[in-house]
Amino acid sequence: MPASPSTARAINDRLALRLLQQEGPLTAGRLKQLTGLSRPTVADLVERLTASGLVTVVGESGEQRRGPNARVYGIVADRAHLAALDVRTEGVSVVVSDLVGRVLAEASVPIGEGTGTGPAVEQAVALVERVAKEAGSLGAAPPRELVRGWGRLHTVGIGAPGLIDPATGELRNSTGLPAWHRRLVAVLQERLPEARVLVENETNLAALAEQREGVARDRDTFVLLWLGHGTGAAVVLDGALRRGASGGTGEIGFLPVPGTTSLPSATDCGGGFHSLVGSAAIAELAARHGVRARPEGYEPHAAALVRQALATSGTPADGFLDVLADRLAIGAASVSAVLDPGCVVLGGEVGQAGGTALAARVERRLARISPLPTEVRASPLGGGAVLRGALLTARDGAQDELFAPPSSR
């Protein structure tokens, strides 16, 4: 059935807004070329979007003939602000951006292991408030009907370790993770009653960032192996992130593998793949090979050790990297045997530190033990992929709502 006039207008408006998001400011003439719509239709949609406060004139093109088509239109980036959080066991990082993703302010705060739930939550919330204030998201704000939350803060994306309940979208209570993680999500929802708070597993967000802006942009199917303080995986099949029946797709740390002295349990990944490639396991392996290094900032010790080994020529460092590549190939081979992704990305701080050199070592070993051709790539985003993925999620959520037809909001 043909679309009704109102539905057709909504489709055209969203198409134009997506193009302005992807391409940047455009003239009406360029919008006509990219959309294939008629000149009057483009003129109408530009007028509607301008009247709604989503689009404004940001300049003029270099065309000789002045007129409506010479005006350059862009999304009103300050219409709403977005916040993204990377919640780790050792601290929180926050970034605030405008509606098109331009970073306005960012900061991090460590949270000690012995910090109680209440104080830890207050430290994290205070950080969000401070960064939002620095970004201009607090204080004076546009009319209330245009935005929600603290001033212009419209949507918050949170990346955290642990399982996300697929039915409720909430962070599940996971053994071994700080209690303040779940409480933080609830408190932010209380403090931001008009803002949208979205929570996702940290490794899934890292995969989203790699898919959209990182090393997997040309892949519809790939698996990200997260290598940081802990170990995890994210699965993208046919362009879609797969979470599983209980939200546990990618809990590769619990994968039983050869080379450990025991088996994992339902509450402890000790004896699983984590026992081979978690940061503590890599540090122990490096010590046996005489590789030493100091971590930078809050990065896992393993990242500094891998970086030092790659910068050092000689048998001890090469031996350490060879054994580490063997261990990583075991996990990659298990993933490949089940999913045949064709591409495995070594993510997290350790994957980034290892770079193409470690990825090449793993790929050679993987080719020996798996009959399925699998390319191994190193993440260029590293640990920052979680925060970037959280921001992309917040931006998508905000734009889905703000770009929707007024009748459906």
Side-chain angles (χ1 to χ4, degrees):
M1 293 179 61
S4 66
S6 61
T7 301
R9 287 193 294 271
I11 293 172
N12 293 339
D13 289 355
R14 289 181 71 93
L15 174 59
L17 286 165
R18 290 301 179 193
L19 287 169
L20 289 169
Q21 170 68 61
Q22 296 167 6
E23 304 291 334
L26 299 168
T27 63
R30 183 60 178 152
L31 276 172
K32 175 181 177 296
Q33 293 175 348
L34 293 173
T35 62
L37 300 172
S38 67
R39 188 180 300 274
T41 299
V42 170
D44 287 344
L45 73 83
V46 167
E47 183 178 352
R48 282 195 304 275
L49 295 175
T50 302
S52 69
L54 289 171
V55 166
T56 189
V57 177
V58 297
E60 291 187 340
S61 68
E63 299 173 9
Q64 294 297 319
R65 180 176 62 83
R66 292 300 183 213
N69 286 352
R71 295 174 181 172
V72 178
Y73 297 92
I75 292 174
V76 180
D78 204 39
R79 171 70 180 270
H81 286 178
L82 317 169
L85 281 71
D86 181 1
V87 181
R88 306 285 183 99
T89 55
E90 69 277 4
V92 178
S93 296
V94 178
V95 61
V96 172
S97 81
D98 60 22
L99 188 56
V100 297
R102 181 172 61 93
V103 173
L104 304 174
E106 56 187 322
S108 300
V109 63
I111 296 179
E113 184 177 351
T115 307
T117 298
V121 169
E122 287 304 316
Q123 286 183 48
V125 173
L127 179 69
V128 176
E129 290 178 332
R130 176 164 64 83
V131 177
K133 184 176 181 179
E134 291 176 2
S137 303
L138 291 174
R144 203 54 159 178
E145 63 270 15
L146 296 184
V147 296
R148 308 182 305 181
W150 285 328
R152 297 180 179 85
L153 204 55
H154 181 283
T155 303
V156 180
I158 301 175
L163 303 181
I164 308 297
D165 190 318
T168 64
E170 297 178 351
L171 185 64
R172 292 169 57 181
N173 189 14
S174 301
T175 302
L177 294 177
W180 63 265
H181 283 190
R182 294 187 76 235
R183 183 59 188 153
L184 172 61
V185 174
V187 169
L188 282 174
Q189 290 174 330
E190 293 169 2
R191 302 278 183 93
L192 296 167
E194 298 179 357
R196 188 178 184 187
V197 178
L198 306 173
V199 187
E200 180 58 275
N201 172 267
E202 59 178 356
T203 308
N204 287 344
L205 289 178
L208 173 64
E210 296 292 353
Q211 181 187 33
R212 299 267 288 271
E213 300 180 349
V215 75
R217 283 173 292 180
D218 62 334
R219 304 290 308 200
D220 288 331
T221 296
F222 69 96
V223 170
L224 171 77
L225 290 185
W226 179 262
L227 306 170
H229 287 287
T231 308
V235 177
V236 176
L237 300 178
D238 300 323
L241 183 68
R242 307 296 179 174
R243 296 176 175 83
S246 63
T249 295
E251 288 295 315
I252 198 171
F254 287 86
L255 180 72
V257 292
T260 63
T261 58
S262 62
L263 289 174
S265 70
T267 58
D268 186 359
C269 60
F273 186 55
H274 175 82
S275 296
L276 293 184
V277 297
S279 184
I282 294 176
E284 182 181 347
L285 177 65
R288 292 207 301 264
H289 287 80
V291 177
R292 296 177 176 80
R294 289 183 178 274
E296 298 178 1
Y298 303 113
E299 72 172 358
H301 189 197
L305 291 166
V306 169
R307 191 165 49 245
Q308 177 63 30
L310 287 169
T312 306
S313 60
T315 302
D318 286 341
F320 161 65
L321 292 171
D322 286 341
V323 176
L324 177 58
D326 288 338
R327 293 181 175 187
L328 290 170
I330 290 172
S334 301
V335 167
S336 295
V338 176
L339 299 174
D340 188 19
C343 178
V344 171
V345 176
L346 303 184
E349 295 89 349
V350 177
Q352 184 182 40
T356 57
L358 179 60
R361 271 182 159 90
V362 176
E363 184 173 315
R364 287 194 296 269
R365 284 156 176 79
L366 182 57
R368 297 174 193 159
I369 60 177
S370 172
L372 306 175
T374 306
E375 184 180 2
V376 180
R377 300 178 179 180
S379 164
L381 302 176
V386 176
L387 202 56
R388 190 61 199 164
L391 191 58
L392 288 169
T393 298
R395 190 180 76 182
D396 289 348
Q399 290 182 353
D400 281 345
E401 179 175 322
L402 292 172
F403 292 177
S407 60
S408 65
R409 291 178 195 165

